[in-house]
Amino acid sequence: MKSFLQTFVLLALASSFVSAFDPSPLQDICVAIDEPKNAVFVNGKFCKDPNLAKAEDFFFSVKTPGNTTNPLGSNVTAVTVDQIRGLNTLGISAARLDFAPYGEVPPHTHPRATEILVVLEGTLFVGFVTSDPNHTLISKVLNPGDVFVFPIGLIHFQVNIGKTNAVAFSGLSSQNPGVITIASAVFGSNPPIKPDFLAKAFQLDVKVVKDLEAKFKMDN
């Protein structure tokens, strides 16, 4: 438990040194509106009276391991502004990552944040892919105490390559980093992307695409 707390402190400090605010949007879209009474949300969250702030506004516990009994064998416990309301406007967040043996967090991106990850238990194979046209895979095997950075917006992954459970913590440079899991976003979109389009894009048979879309629709 003490190591968990120390890790969170270090991640928070690292993130705050990099950025004390969100320089980019906090939502996927934020359409401007002239009439305030019809507004749904702002870029961030409305702030309550500081005199009404309490300790619970700045607290969330991640001491309980996440449930990894799922097809991926992993669980991500997010600690964003939705869990700690006091993170609003501070430009940082965190996450606990739990892995069953050979579990993985599949390829995904954070559209609004750079991520820094530290391994506490187990052995992880992690990496990210650079943008067009090179698509260079930058990867590394991490052991307890190792730290790795995933640049903002790039596709990345984490895989437990060991025979035991693994635990890691991440710090992210946004109070609301967002996550786009590539496979589920592409094959599980609502409404679905036309199979013919995806078959051409991925150089797959249309039947394979339809099977994938059915699977990810079922998972959702």
Side-chain angles (χ1 to χ4, degrees), residues 113-134:
T114 291
E115 176 181 358
I116 183 168
L117 178 142
V118 57
V119 178
L120 297 187
E121 300 175 14
T123 303
L124 299 182
F125 175 64
V126 307
F128 63 86
V129 180
T130 63
S131 56
D132 294 351
N134 294 330

Side-chain angles (χ1 to χ4, degrees), residues 75-114:
N75 185 284
V76 177
T77 304
V79 188
T80 69
V81 69
D82 290 325
Q83 286 75 40
I84 299 182
R85 310 298 280 184
L87 283 176
N88 194 32
T89 75
L90 298 185
I92 61 172
S93 60
R96 170 176 175 151
L97 289 71
D98 288 283
F99 301 84
Y102 309 112
E104 67 175 81
V105 176
H108 63 284
T109 70
H110 300 294
R112 297 179 286 274
T114 291

Side-chain angles (χ1 to χ4, degrees), residues 4 12-13 16 25 29 41 43 70 78 98 111 119 148-150 156 162 179:
F4 289 167
L13 288 173
S16 64
I29 58 174
F41 56 75
N43 194 29
N70 55 66
D98 288 283
V119 178
F148 198 84
V149 173
F150 306 100
H156 59 283
V179 60

